[in-house]
Amino acid sequence: MAQRTTGGAHPDAAPAARTPDDAPPRLARRIALAAAAIVLAATALRVWVAAAGGFYWDDLILTGRSATVPTFSADFLLYDHDGHFMPAAFLLADLATTLAPLQWWLPAVMLVVGQLAASAAVVRLLWVVMGPRPLLLAPLVFYVLCPITLPSFAWWANALNSLPLQFALAWVAADAMKLARTGDRRYAISDVVVTIVALAFFEKSVLVPFVAFATVALAYHVDGVARAFRTALRRCAALWIPTAVVLAVWALVYLTVTDSRVESDHLGNAPGFVHHATSLGLVPTFLGGPWLWDRWPPSPPWATPPTALVIGGWVVLAAAVIGSIVHKRRVAPVWIAAAAYVAASELAMVLTRGSDLAAYELAQTLRYLADSAVVLVVLAALIARAPRRSERPREPRSGGLVALTTVAVVAFAVSSVLSTITFVGRWENNPTNPYLANARVSLAEHRDVPLLDHPVSLWVLVPVATPYNSASHVFGPLPDRPEFADSTPQLRQLDDDGMLVEAVVSDTRTIPQGPVPECGFRVERTPDGVAGDTTIPLDGPLLDWEWTAQLNYFASTAGDVDVRLDTGDTVTVPVEAGLNQVFVRLIGGGDALHVEPTTPGLALCVGSGPVGTVAPTTERVR
């Protein structure tokens, strides 16, 4: 292993990362056990967070598509999900939907396993960069407890993007350091595989190789190796070259299957978004904040830190920057690199989500900066690795410094746990949870009558999610439910509580009383074809939209009739013999209804009835 130098080292010298051999075995074991205990304790806290959560927004889009689109189809795997390219995430969502449809326990397990894997990768990264030293535990506590990763963990759809990215950032950076030190190409193979998998979960994983390169190059730099960046390129060429090929192929696929969401015409909003993301989002987490969260259901919680915490966070950050530069050599580029990563994340947020219709609070949800926690861990590890400016020998153990560090870490942990508790208080107030629970029971109890498709509660998914806010999409994964059809003899709908209730049709337009006495409009299928009034005029025109027609009819026999508006598709409607009614969901418009029997010998009398939208009543289905 190359020795650390203060300058003028051989250009091919490897980063002098400490290894377990650099510390007494007993100390290394103690640090490993302490790190494991910290990770397990933090994971237990995240288990509580996951157990208090449930499906939210995009989660239902993923599960609904899993139930309605063939799994191994391009339409499923290459779907452009709001600008995201995430086939591996779709596969995991499909697995959860297949094994436990709309049951939260399996996604919760995925969250915990993903977080545990990411935490283990961070421990490995710290061990490689810093070596087995007690100070390693401080940045580890930051990562496993820092609230900046909390919102992205709790939201399953977001975690399917964020956790693989966090794992990849830590794993690939550590392997790149090992490759630079040993030249063993198995680390290059491992890194390429992990990068490919991460790219299949989240397009932001394109940054993984760049973070790995920066970690190696900055490690050389703080070690005093000459031409650090060039040396990092040379020593890890076995990684950078195949990774560049992977990124090129991935970019071609990504640009082919996704539509760009990048918009630069609202860059005037950038200062506001950056302020909310940085001052009200990221900076308070340096002290374990934000402590407080707000929420407007169905939006996710966002950080609302007290002003004192914001100021305190900036003071701590300024002190850390100034103190590290004053006491450590060559660490300024480390800070610049970390700031560049955060800035790139915020720029991506502004360009893809910062429209004039987006509220600044979006930036305070923290999920756009969650992966920055790993980069900040790398920052801390490299600063700890950097040599001190003072040439005076340092006491191996400074009781005052150890005590101060311990107090700071404990205070951060307590503050972070407080922020986690208050977050859960907001997050578990999710109207989707009781809605899904009630609907699951109500639908299972009333499977005998088909349901007309209709939007789910606005508190669950708003119309902007169309067509994925339909009941047929959300509840499609459930095996124990009524069928969704274009017609039904009884009009029912799920109310805002998820309970099945009776529903009525508004009289936007009306089918008038027809010209045939005691019949209305008569139409029948004779051996010579359809006879009678197949065109039923309405009392006014309808715009092209989704409408429901209430057909009050008398049928001579059971059979089928085709129903449509002037524009739109035809719906085949089963009718029963005798006096009955049926409710038909029609897409289209015009000023007439067209009814044609398709069953030979079927004669139909259609009476007056409304054509309009469906409104639930307060009467629950018995």
Side-chain angles (χ1 to χ4, degrees), residues 51 150 165 178 241 309 352 374 424 499 530:
L150 186 56
L165 171 58
K178 285 178 172 287
I241 293 173
L309 188 63
T352 59
V374 179
V424 169
M499 303 299 297
V530 178

Side-chain angles (χ1 to χ4, degrees), residues 101-188:
L102 289 184
Q103 297 180 43
W104 177 244
W105 68 267
L106 188 49
V109 169
M110 290 182 178
L111 295 178
V112 174
V113 171
Q115 184 62 73
L116 189 59
S119 299
V122 167
V123 173
R124 178 174 179 264
L125 171 64
L126 290 169
W127 198 278
V128 170
V129 177
M130 296 178 62
R133 50 194 294 199
L135 188 59
L136 171 152
L137 302 176
L140 176 60
V141 169
F142 173 83
Y143 173 75
V144 298
L145 290 178
C146 185
I148 193 175
T149 64
L150 186 56
S152 63
F153 165 83
W155 186 358
W156 182 42
N158 195 247
L160 290 175
N161 298 148
S162 182
L163 290 176
L165 171 58
Q166 293 174 43
F167 173 85
L169 285 169
W171 186 272
V172 175
D175 265 5
M177 291 284 291
K178 285 178 172 287
L179 175 63
R181 188 175 70 235
T182 67
D184 191 336
R185 290 177 179 255
R186 62 177 175 160
Y187 295 118

Side-chain angles (χ1 to χ4, degrees), residues 568-592:
D569 295 334
T570 298
V571 176
T572 299
V573 180
V575 295
E576 299 295 329
L579 183 62
N580 293 289
Q581 65 179 191
V582 66
F583 301 88
V584 186
R585 180 174 175 266
L586 300 167
I587 307 295
D591 55 12

Side-chain angles (χ1 to χ4, degrees), residues 324-473:
S324 64
I325 292 176
V326 169
H327 294 288
K328 293 277 190 162
R329 297 179 181 179
R330 300 179 289 272
V331 297
V334 180
W335 284 106
I336 293 172
Y341 188 92
V342 172
S345 298
E346 293 182 351
L347 177 62
M349 174 190 65
V350 172
L351 291 177
T352 59
R353 298 293 185 263
S355 70
D356 294 333
L357 299 178
Y360 286 145
E361 284 77 10
L362 178 71
Q364 294 168 234
T365 60
L366 303 184
R367 64 180 185 268
Y368 298 102
L369 296 175
D371 44 287
S372 299
V374 179
V375 174
L376 294 174
V377 165
V378 175
L379 164 76
L382 290 173
I383 290 176
R385 177 192 181 96
R388 294 172 59 85
R389 291 187 180 276
S390 173
E391 299 295 337
R392 291 178 302 173
R394 183 180 173 186
E395 292 293 331
R397 291 185 180 180
S398 174
L401 181 60
V402 171
L404 181 61
T405 303
T406 302
V407 169
V409 170
V410 171
F412 174 83
V414 171
S415 178
S416 297
V417 170
L418 172 62
S419 294
T420 301
I421 293 172
T422 55
F423 174 85
V424 169
R426 288 291 188 180
W427 181 242
E428 66 183 354
N429 183 25
N430 179 6
T432 303
N433 294 338
Y435 180 86
L436 292 179
N438 291 336
R440 186 181 294 109
V441 173
S442 189
L443 293 174
E445 290 178 346
H446 303 94
R447 293 170 293 172
D448 54 328
V449 177
L451 288 179
L452 296 188
D453 205 1
H454 59 278
V456 297
S457 170
L458 289 172
W459 300 107
V460 176
L461 283 171
V462 296
V464 71
T466 301
Y468 303 113
N469 67 326
S470 66
S472 63
H473 182 90

Side-chain angles (χ1 to χ4, degrees), residues 178-351:
K178 285 178 172 287
L179 175 63
R181 188 175 70 235
T182 67
D184 191 336
R185 290 177 179 255
R186 62 177 175 160
Y187 295 118
I189 296 173
S190 169
D191 275 0
V192 171
V193 171
V194 171
T195 300
I196 292 172
V197 173
L199 286 169
F201 277 98
F202 191 20
E203 66 277 359
K204 194 177 180 180
S205 297
V206 295
L207 296 178
V208 167
F210 298 97
V211 171
F213 172 77
T215 302
V216 176
L218 290 170
Y220 277 123
H221 177 74
V222 299
D223 286 352
V225 174
R227 298 185 294 276
F229 282 57
R230 184 181 302 176
T231 303
L233 282 173
R234 183 182 302 113
R235 292 286 298 181
C236 296
L239 170 59
W240 312 136
I241 293 173
T243 300
V245 174
V246 168
L247 292 182
V249 173
W250 175 89
L252 180 62
V253 175
Y254 176 78
L255 295 175
T256 301
V257 302
T258 61
D259 292 328
S260 174
R261 299 310 199 271
V262 175
E263 298 180 10
S264 58
D265 57 352
H266 49 254
L267 286 178
N269 298 331
F273 278 102
V274 169
H275 166 68
H276 281 254
T278 307
S279 290
L280 303 181
L282 175 63
V283 170
T285 65
F286 297 155
L287 296 179
W291 298 345
L292 301 176
W293 309 80
D294 202 353
R295 187 180 193 185
W296 299 333
S299 71
W302 63 82
T304 55
T307 302
L309 188 63
V310 175
I311 296 173
W314 277 112
V315 170
V316 167
L317 177 59
V321 173
I322 296 171
S324 64
I325 292 176
V326 169
H327 294 288
K328 293 277 190 162
R329 297 179 181 179
R330 300 179 289 272
V331 297
V334 180
W335 284 106
I336 293 172
Y341 188 92
V342 172
S345 298
E346 293 182 351
L347 177 62
M349 174 190 65
V350 172
L351 291 177

